[in-house]
Amino acid sequence: MRKIHILALILGFLGLVLIGCFVFYQYNTMPVDKSSKANIEVIIPDGMSTDRIAKTLYDKGLIRNPLFFKIYLKLNNSSSLKASTYLMRKNMSLDEIVKMLEEGNSNQNDLIITFKEGNNIRDYAKIIEENTGISSTSFLETVNDQTLLTTFINEYWFLTDDILDDNIYYALEGYLFPDTYSFSKDNLTSEVIIRTLLNEEEKKLDPYKERLQNMNIHDILTLASITELEGVKDEDRKLIVGVFNNRLNLGMNLGSDVTTYYAFNEAMDSDLTSEQFNTYNPYNTRSSEMAGKLPIGPICNPSLASIEAAINPLSSDYLYFVADKNRNVYFTRSISEHNAKVQELKDNGDWIW
């Protein structure tokens, strides 16, 4: 009886181990995020080791466990992973990812370009020139082509006549969704690129279509673009939009430095001058003449998180905010509190400059 009892315990233990292994295997082969459909660029150069491939995939959030990835390759005799540039998604299973790596990028005629959140149209033009035969000047001319813009307004529900204002630098600023895209090198034109990004913008905005049609979409994207450059955390961004709304309701100027940088085409890597702050420009919300007004249009192409913040802001009684060099944001209710916080950041060496 004792031997039977011991045997039962051993079999029970082995059964638990097998169940544990099965659960572990299933968990690590499942998609990291079934709901995510965003493309993620993965570059596998010639000669990259399996260890480095595993780390690359893990760092990009595509696999759950680098060690398991290598074990999976051994179990499935998958040793020939091809060097290429891939577009992967977090809703892909491990089997799908490995199969893609084994087959390689079958269409070597594809061109993959990444447009980052917070990039403006000038940044886009530079990236396009670096990756294609399209000059930045040509792309910017297409962005502002009045005939083409009229066609776009008729095709895309979220584009309105607001973008045709002569004072706007680039008509489609804020409307070209930042993401990683795959283009065919054959007959690639500025219009093809613009349409591809507008199509993605439409996909992202469609879930909010009913609400946005009862709002001023141009104003929402303008707020989202400022918020993209002012905050990092989602909650901060929602509070920032709330602050902007409070200031607009009180007839105050927004006082956002990032709008001044855009107005004068300055890189955001140095301090601005008092003359720039005080010079009127329909983008410069530091100017007293912009009291109670939004900039004339977006100042960059915002992420979906910033667009959502502009649609669903957090209400508060804050009127001021300031960010430190680590992009932490501090909110205050009065100018005296705000100035004290700025001085505190400077005294502690946390000021942005």
Side-chain angles (χ1 to χ4, degrees):
M1 287 294 294
R2 186 178 179 184
K3 289 182 179 180
I4 295 175
H5 181 68
I6 293 173
L7 181 60
L9 287 175
I10 293 172
L11 291 175
F13 175 75
L14 290 175
L16 290 173
V17 170
L18 289 174
I19 292 172
C21 289
F22 176 77
V23 171
F24 179 75
Y25 184 90
Q26 289 294 107
Y27 174 77
N28 281 286
T29 55
M30 288 171 55
V32 173
D33 183 356
K34 291 182 179 179
S35 64
S36 176
K37 297 179 181 179
N39 288 323
I40 298 173
E41 182 181 18
V42 179
I43 300 174
I44 307 296
D46 285 324
M48 179 178 269
S49 67
T50 303
D51 285 343
R52 294 298 301 172
I53 293 174
K55 186 178 187 306
T56 297
L57 295 174
Y58 178 74
D59 289 344
K60 290 183 176 290
L62 291 161
I63 61 173
R64 299 177 184 275
N65 188 310
L67 177 60
F68 182 84
F69 174 79
K70 292 185 288 183
I71 294 172
Y72 181 90
L73 294 180
K74 290 286 186 183
L75 292 174
N76 291 275
N77 296 316
S78 304
S79 57
S80 179
L81 305 183
K82 294 181 172 57
S84 189
T85 299
Y86 301 90
L87 288 182
M88 297 182 179
R89 301 179 307 278
K90 292 184 180 182
N91 65 359
M92 295 173 66
S93 67
L94 184 57
D95 182 61
E96 290 173 316
I97 290 172
V98 171
K99 184 176 180 181
M100 181 180 284
L101 291 169
E102 288 177 328
E103 293 177 353
N105 187 352
S106 58
N107 189 356
Q108 293 299 323
N109 199 41
D110 283 353
L111 178 67
I112 295 175
I113 304 177
T114 297
F115 300 101
K116 296 180 180 179
E117 299 164 348
N119 277 175
N120 60 43
I121 291 287
R122 293 188 295 265
D123 298 323
Y124 278 20
K126 183 179 179 182
I127 292 166
I128 289 166
E129 184 173 81
E130 291 172 349
N131 288 275
T132 72
I134 302 168
S135 71
S136 59
T137 301
S138 174
F139 178 76
L140 293 176
E141 287 175 352
T142 306
V143 163
N144 281 338
D145 183 282
Q146 293 296 302
T147 301
L148 191 57
L149 290 173
T150 301
T151 301
F152 288 154
I153 290 172
N154 292 329
E155 290 183 15
Y156 296 95
W157 63 265
F158 55 89
L159 291 177
T160 67
D161 289 344
D162 287 325
I163 68 173
L164 299 178
D165 193 303
D166 289 338
N167 291 310
I168 289 179
Y169 291 170
Y170 306 104
L172 294 175
E173 187 80 87
Y175 293 88
L176 302 180
F177 195 78
D179 206 337
T180 297
Y181 296 89
S182 178
F183 302 98
S184 172
K185 294 177 183 177
D186 294 332
N187 303 314
L188 183 62
T189 64
S190 294
E191 182 177 345
V192 168
I193 294 173
I194 290 169
R195 283 187 177 277
T196 302
L197 273 62
L198 284 174
N199 289 340
E200 189 62 25
E201 182 84 12
E202 185 168 43
K203 288 179 185 177
K204 293 296 189 292
L205 294 181
D206 267 344
Y208 309 94
K209 183 175 182 178
E210 186 174 345
R211 288 192 63 189
L212 286 171
Q213 288 180 323
N214 293 317
M215 307 169 85
N216 186 311
I217 300 174
H218 191 67
D219 286 353
I220 290 296
L221 291 177
T222 299
L223 272 172
S225 71
I226 305 171
T227 305
E228 180 70 38
L229 300 178
E230 292 280 17
V232 175
K233 300 174 185 176
D234 289 350
E235 186 170 342
D236 285 345
R237 286 172 171 167
K238 290 182 178 182
L239 278 170
I240 287 170
V241 177
V243 169
F244 287 150
N245 287 336
N246 290 344
R247 294 177 73 93
L248 290 171
N249 290 335
L250 292 172
M252 301 172 66
N253 64 349
L254 296 190
S256 172
D257 290 1
V258 296
T259 66
T260 312
Y261 282 107
Y262 187 84
F264 298 104
N265 192 17
E266 294 279 356
M268 292 175 57
D269 57 5
S270 62
D271 221 340
L272 295 161
T273 66
S274 58
E275 181 181 359
Q276 288 172 315
F277 286 141
N278 295 319
T279 300
Y280 169 74
N281 180 294
Y283 283 103
N284 180 20
T285 65
R286 286 293 298 265
S287 166
S288 59
E289 295 177 62
M290 287 292 289
K293 299 177 183 178
L294 282 169
I296 196 167
I299 61 172
C300 74
N301 294 283
S303 63
L304 184 59
S306 290
I307 295 172
E308 289 175 338
I311 297 172
N312 300 300
L314 284 176
S315 297
S316 73
D317 57 355
Y318 295 128
L319 289 174
Y320 301 87
F321 66 87
V322 63
D324 64 21
K325 65 182 182 182
N326 298 312
R327 302 294 299 277
N328 297 308
V329 182
Y330 306 88
F331 297 88
T332 50
R333 295 173 175 81
S334 68
I335 188 61
S336 58
E337 290 179 356
H338 174 73
N339 289 338
K341 175 55 70 174
V342 169
Q343 190 58 52
E344 178 187 328
L345 295 177
K346 290 180 177 179
D347 292 342
N348 293 337
D350 291 326
W351 188 238
I352 193 167
W353 306 123

